Amino acid sequence: MSLFETHQQLISPSATNGSVPVGTPAIEFQDVELAFDDQIVLDKVSFTVPKGVTKIVLGSSGSGKSTIINLILGLVRPDAGRILIAGEDITPFDDMDLMRIRKRIGMVFQEGALFDSLSVYENVAYRLDEQGVDEDEVEHEVMRMLRFVDLEDAVDKMPIELSGGMRRRVGIARALVGNPDIVLFDEPTAGLDPPTARTICELAIKLRDLEDVSSIFVTHEMNNLEYLSSDYAVLDREGNVHFEQEGNNLCMLNTEVMMLREGVIIFSGSEDELKATRDPYIRRFITGK
Amino acid sequence: MSFIIQFLTELQEVGNLLWRCIKGLKKKPRYFGEIMRQMDLIGVGSLGICVLTGFFTGGVLVLQVYPTLDYYGATSNAGQGVATGLIRELGPVLTALMVAGRVGSAISAELGSMVVSQQIDAMRALGTSPARKLVTPRIIALIITLPLLTIAADMFGLIGGGLLANYLHSLDPNIYISSVRTGTHVEDLLASILKPMVFGLIIGVISCYKGLQTTGGTVGVGISVTKAVVTSSIYVIIADFFLSKVLQSAFSGTMF
Ligand SMILES: Nc1ncnc2c1ncn2[C@@H]1O[C@H](COP(=O)(O)OP(=O)(O)OP(=O)(O)O)[C@@H](O)[C@H]1O
Ligand SMILES: [Mg+2]
């Protein structure tokens, strides 16, 4: 299907060069520490996101989930520890080096963070416009992305005219333009109706299973966790995407779960392991009582 | 003491922002379209208030100075008085203050709300430097348009003074004009272009900096706007004093 055409020329050369050894995680945190004033936000956080894997990050409000994502983008600098993106330590990077890293990362912000002064089209086209890609190519890519999130009709609207869910989907389209190989979702389904939330999870599943994208998916919602860890996407002969349920004979290897509590990782493993845990805090988080 | 430390830290950060903008000038893309758009918003948009300010300032100068001149029998010098006051001081300073109020507030509010709605983060995440995309075009637009606005304000001030002198005191317009011409020196004209350029830089850097420093949601935006307008107005007035001194010494050839 047209969605998965590859546009190699849109990606910076460094994103596609083969010099990174096989098996290098897409994202790696090594003992990362961060404090704002005297409040410790992250305390010796270490984890890896292998290539092609979706890491679901759970945790209550204020536990440091968005902070982790901001660290990956270099929007916030750690006080101690190392952050590696595709094997490259970004902690000593200056703004120019970070720009190079950010080119291969797509980010879906918690509140959408669309540019108010730009139309939907210009929002989605933003990254390509900045890179000076020629107009026909930009238009093709933008329309492809808007079809992907099912918002072709809204192309000329301004963000202010959109509903919350539409804004979020435009944010996703903007993040995916240029085929980034890492995508960060910060609570992409918060405040959306169940079918729209499901659609967004399906987008993430498609990226994971068909595009080999590595991602971090921050969420509060248990049904997101359910979808992401039990459904997978396959292409049939005609090239249509189907979603299938994880059966007994199939074990999802490309989804991991991690839970934060006040800046400390208190759980890391698969969804089944999470459900089987005896920890009262985690039990309360997943069952809500 | 902590006040001094705070001032120095802020100065360093403002300097940093400015340095990033200057460094960014060498690189592409250069956002000419954005500079044009800002010049339209800032320059054309502020023309009305600057012209009005100039016009009435010229008028009030004549109003206040004329009786004194009359006392000494020197009413034919009225034009000179208006020209000196306006072109040297009031034109540049009042225009800068009006622009600080109108444009400084708009800039800091816009950037501030972009910060609180994470649009600045989004911009950086998409690989654009906010300093180059947002700050540089605004500063350049201010540096270019503020001198032009000042000239417009000066022009209308002179006209306002002349009209008032003619209307209230029946001063012959020809006398007024020739007096304006004797009262206007090349140095004054140069200064009235140089000063606004510096003021434009001050207003631009401070407003952008305060906007980008916004924290704490929509309330924070309000605070940033207040700080931007107050701080840039104060620095315009302080800078005006030192610039006047430096220019005066430079033109009279007796530096210090
Ligand atoms: N710029 C900042 N200055 C000071 N403290 C901050 C800042 N950003 C985040 N924090 C603090 O860091 C902690 C973690 O914040 P973070 O945004 O990562 O939480 P979160 O897990 O994403 O929460 P939520 O689910 O509500 O989005 C919070 O206690 C917050 O108060
Ligand atoms: Mg968050």
Side-chain angles (χ1 to χ4, degrees), chain A residues 65-66 110 186-187 218:
Chain A
K65 305 183 297 295
S66 299
Q110 201 163 350
D186 195 355
E187 300 188 34
V218 170

Side-chain angles (χ1 to χ4, degrees), chain A residues 102 114-116 126 130, chain B residues 31 119 123-124 127-128 133:
Chain A
R102 286 171 188 156
L114 300 183
F115 301 122
D116 288 336
Y126 190 85
E130 290 292 296
Chain B
Y31 305 112
Q119 290 177 54
M123 197 170 264
R124 292 166 69 197
T128 315
K133 169 101 182 174

Side-chain angles (χ1 to χ4, degrees), chain A residues 36 39 41 60-67 110 187 220:
Chain A
F36 287 115
Q39 180 203 1
V41 178
S60 59
S61 199
S63 54
K65 305 183 297 295
S66 299
T67 306
Q110 201 163 350
E187 300 188 34
H220 284 305

Side-chain angles (χ1 to χ4, degrees), chain A residues 20 35 46-47 87 89-90 108 116 132 137 145 147-148 198 209 225 237 263 275:
Chain A
V20 179
S46 302
F47 67 89
D89 185 359
I90 65 160
V108 180
D116 288 336
E137 183 115 41
M145 252 22 270
R147 259 197 307 281
F148 185 44
R198 164 80 196 178
D209 296 344
L225 172 67
R237 286 223 183 81
K275 293 227 166 106

